[in-house]
Amino acid sequence: MKKIDVAVLGATGTVGQKFIVLLQNHPYFEVKELVASERSAGKPYAAACSWKQNIPIPRNVAGLTVKSTEEILNSRILFSGLDSSVAGSAEEKYASEGHLVISNSSNHRMDRHVPLVIPEVNPDHLELIYRQQYDGAIVTNPNCSTIFLVMAIAPLYREFGVEAVNVTTLQAISGAGYPGVPSLDILGNVVPYIGSEEEKVETEPLKILGALSGDHIEPVSIKISAQCTRVPVYDGHTETLSIKLKSRAGLADVRRVLENFSGLPQELKLPSAPERPILVRTEEDRPQPRFDRDHGHGMSITVGRIRPCNVLDFKFLILSHNTVRGAAGASILNAEYLKAEGYF
Amino acid sequence: MKKIDVAVLGATGTVGQKFIVLLQNHPYFEVKELVASERSAGKPYAAACSWKQNIPIPRNVAGLTVKSTEEILNSRILFSGLDSSVAGSAEEKYASEGHLVISNSSNHRMDRHVPLVIPEVNPDHLELIYRQQYDGAIVTNPNCSTIFLVMAIAPLYREFGVEAVNVTTLQAISGAGYPGVPSLDILGNVVPYIGSEEEKVETEPLKILGALSGDHIEPVSIKISAQCTRVPVYDGHTETLSIKLKSRAGLADVRRVLENFSGLPQELKLPSAPERPILVRTEEDRPQPRFDRDHGHGMSITVGRIRPCNVLDFKFLILSHNTVRGAAGASILNAEYLKAEGYF
Amino acid sequence: MKKIDVAVLGATGTVGQKFIVLLQNHPYFEVKELVASERSAGKPYAAACSWKQNIPIPRNVAGLTVKSTEEILNSRILFSGLDSSVAGSAEEKYASEGHLVISNSSNHRMDRHVPLVIPEVNPDHLELIYRQQYDGAIVTNPNCSTIFLVMAIAPLYREFGVEAVNVTTLQAISGAGYPGVPSLDILGNVVPYIGSEEEKVETEPLKILGALSGDHIEPVSIKISAQCTRVPVYDGHTETLSIKLKSRAGLADVRRVLENFSGLPQELKLPSAPERPILVRTEEDRPQPRFDRDHGHGMSITVGRIRPCNVLDFKFLILSHNTVRGAAGASILNAEYLKAEGYF
Amino acid sequence: MKKIDVAVLGATGTVGQKFIVLLQNHPYFEVKELVASERSAGKPYAAACSWKQNIPIPRNVAGLTVKSTEEILNSRILFSGLDSSVAGSAEEKYASEGHLVISNSSNHRMDRHVPLVIPEVNPDHLELIYRQQYDGAIVTNPNCSTIFLVMAIAPLYREFGVEAVNVTTLQAISGAGYPGVPSLDILGNVVPYIGSEEEKVETEPLKILGALSGDHIEPVSIKISAQCTRVPVYDGHTETLSIKLKSRAGLADVRRVLENFSGLPQELKLPSAPERPILVRTEEDRPQPRFDRDHGHGMSITVGRIRPCNVLDFKFLILSHNTVRGAAGASILNAEYLKAEGYF
């Protein structure tokens, strides 16, 4: 099968680099174009980029000449890791020009006609792309901490209903990009604030779990409260969560529902879909970033320490890889699903 | 004024060392005896101890010969940093022999006749020592995470009542003693479990905030749910907290009540009492361990990011120094209060 | 080809666990027996072991019952990651019983008849096993820091001769095993001392680079001075090295000789042999543990910043994976070489 | 005594902040003016500065309006923590205007007429200021790693002569300023390169140990080779050093000479002068950043593990506080000496 040419927008950034790593030898897609800022445009990628990944730059990408956002792109599919300072208008421009923009940026997530999708949870929302005013379309995935949270509460929401969620995140430094968090701020320290993060975690889930209603999503009403912190961990966000369900459930029910969670990406055996979206661990001291971020090649979330909560109903921990399932991998899974379901 | 001779139990351990540091040049107390395990007994302290503090061993202590728990002690006042594996019976023995044991160990905290005291919060509970069957007595301070939590909720409890508290802790490695947490477990990682910690945080506050009723404390009924994690921070526990009050309060009220909190230790100007038990910060990214653990010489707690909570009523962060206000300093403040109020 | 049954001695320890990871799906060897201390003996491995690896315990190993050092082993080939407190006599016992002990322990490295081998450097020393008094034999690999050092200086030694080497190591915490280094000692700190390490680095190379002379190795005479430190890095030892050569060489010569280094493991295409034993990097800020420890699946060393030295002749950096090329992987490569060359 | 008004140049930067901290309540100097970039000029210091110190901004400084480098300064004495990108011309301008610039910047260190001074080592070099073409003058202190190195070798140089020094540094992140080293680069990692650092360590000592000869310094000839690395430590540089002396010395001699080192700052009892410039430790695992950086209020260096070296004569470790003795404190000690000796 001939692979589909794709471009990576924001190719020199942290998310852009991760797109390139995850798309190496991808069965559907082949990176043929790279877009970055004016400063990088015109240079070979290897020269323009301060590469920070554990594997070398893939050969077929290293020599590509970086394009500016002004240049016309030939690829129909664009993966966007653009910085939110430029993603807003740039993604609109590309969508207007007929491209399908699969974006990890936050700018358009809450736009009325833009689907905000985790393919295991709300793939039907992708229908919204036919309601967009663009010749092409914009498809987004949620914020990293939102994705992990929603993957964990979605099966409970379906089975029991959810009234309220209280969550504290302990987020890895790689989530802030490069140069990102100065070492003087985080070495041996905790920074209890991440700009806009709590708002995202409190609002995005309401759209994701909402119902497609014609040209928009009718949000659900769940009370979500988030406290987001940065900790000196390289990769892997930890979340402590308390949840109040609508209907009565036992501990065993909660565990079973989480463990059995599966979706269309699993059914379709999409290349990036983990066999099991949620792994439930029973050890008293898991999940941990070091040991649990890479399950399912970074696309599974791990849940642990499920137990009753004195304040809400249950509490447990969530962990996943913030730059894979929480960013670039999330976009790629969206694209795989769109491809498999014939959206393009 | 002649100083009062005191002994430090568990003198070679982490808490014992902190006792020695904090009692250096103390206006009331002078360390005259040191007790440690059989392995250390008979040796000069400097030889018995693997000293891990930032200042050198005080001269008057370095040469003291370590005693075993079998030996008779001359000091009436004993500060106990004994490991919980031995504190139970050892502290009882000392109390029976007529000593006043000021303990940081957890063993006797929930005993019916043993006061569990934060002097700013429940100094009246110390009356319980007259109900003990010992010739001497045992006085305890709470677990580190409990102390910070209770200091923050006590003023709100008095003013508005408290229905429920949801707390996640991000605890420093020094809380686990030495050798404590292996570096392979915590470097660049989060360990989402600390043995018995959540139980302590969920139950101790009910006694501390309870009412003295004859020979025991009538616990209050507040729903508390705790999730305790260990993070790669040296000193300083961070807690994210959500709270549901009994009566209605505005954000400004909450801030005011916290800021204005003060107690008898402040009135009595006790040597270890911080001028202000609670500091409230208004920056969006504080408190942080590095910058806020040392306020009030480690005896203040810092509260920050007070804001409404979508699930309970308010949420905010708490930070304090776990080995000072959270351990040795807590015991010393208890002793200072007992002294100032004529208990001995 | 039927695989050869092997046992892992010290199977629950850090090196033992790494043996199990690296021997998973090995083309020559299959782990059939596990030996550990009395405390673990009789239990299934999964229950006896506090598993700390990034992959789960291989299925075929998890259920094996751990044996004590008293029990008879059926496997001829034993990989030893025994603690040095017990390795001395245990390895002798096994060798006497006819086993071929491939050891990472330090106890017998300097024994007259025991080969101390890096297969790219001195495979001929393995002939010594026929001079041993055992029915079986003991074969050892050097200390981690020694291996990296010798791999870097061996090609220079052959080509130009080496007079003196000055080396400082910055060693990862995983080199100390588990629980190993307490986090309170190393978080945000440097510990400038590792027991016996400097002696090993200063003496082992003299044997490795020495000449087989009948029943023993005639050591070379090179002046080596080592300063060994521990740094808060998880995996990957860094070494800064200055070297004085015997004959004149240019910078380009040194680089060329290092880059072109290859040995019998490469010729024989042994399963664990990296394609290139030494990778030379030209960036000014490499090698770094994070990016360079995994080259050649952890079996390559990376050299960087080769430049003239004002005091000796040249200076450069060395980096490699301390638990792979520096420990378990080193033993396995020894075993592969012995197998390929018909020693068993 | 009326205090002398001083200005801090580069006041919002890391070194500038440290100047302000160390000059708080200084017996000679009072900070009256602050200079920073255009972006900060005109703002109150507290608003212009992202304060990263452990103590709050001193009250008398917080409200000062930051001046630009264009404005006329009233203070005669200027402490410069200017970034090297601007320090070159700015310091010259101030010196031409009659100010005495006490600089920590590297730009003018090697200028023919500019003294490069450690007051315990070469205070006589300050005479050079009378040879400068400025109405005022520029006085500099060395690079942090250089200072520690020279303090350790100066007494040996005087007593025995020094032929060669081989040094590897393990430098703290605070040495790179703020934001400085990205956490993604250094968490759990070593970066074996610090721009221009090795050149400074190899050349500055030759001037410092040189002899004043009319209008310039005649450099000494010592072979120095440096390898500089960055490690995940907050404060405190560690150096491993090997040294070859000119005349024969025993281990006890070396220790004695180091321990007894003292200079004019000690004789004059200057406010920032540590009682002992060099502390010699005898434990096998010291010095360590955590425990030894603060000796002498950060102004002492600690030497440890003095032992014979197989390649040169002796080897040992050096540790000191890089932002105190290694930067702001070094400049302040220079100023104190100038004041005490009547240079102003």
Side-chain angles (χ1 to χ4, degrees), chain C residues 144-145 169-173 194 197 228-231 233 236-238:
Chain C
C144 48
S145 298
T169 67
L170 292 78
Q171 301 188 212
I173 56 173
I194 302 173
E197 192 80 1
C228 296
T229 74
R230 186 81 67 193
V231 292
V233 166
H237 289 358
T238 303

Side-chain angles (χ1 to χ4, degrees), chain A residues 276-296:
Chain A
R276 307 184 65 176
I278 302 179
L279 301 170
V280 176
R281 304 213 54 123
T282 56
E283 299 93 329
E284 66 186 5
D285 63 352
R286 296 285 283 271
Q288 294 181 20
R290 182 173 303 284
F291 297 118
D292 295 305
R293 62 187 160 213
D294 289 327
H295 297 308

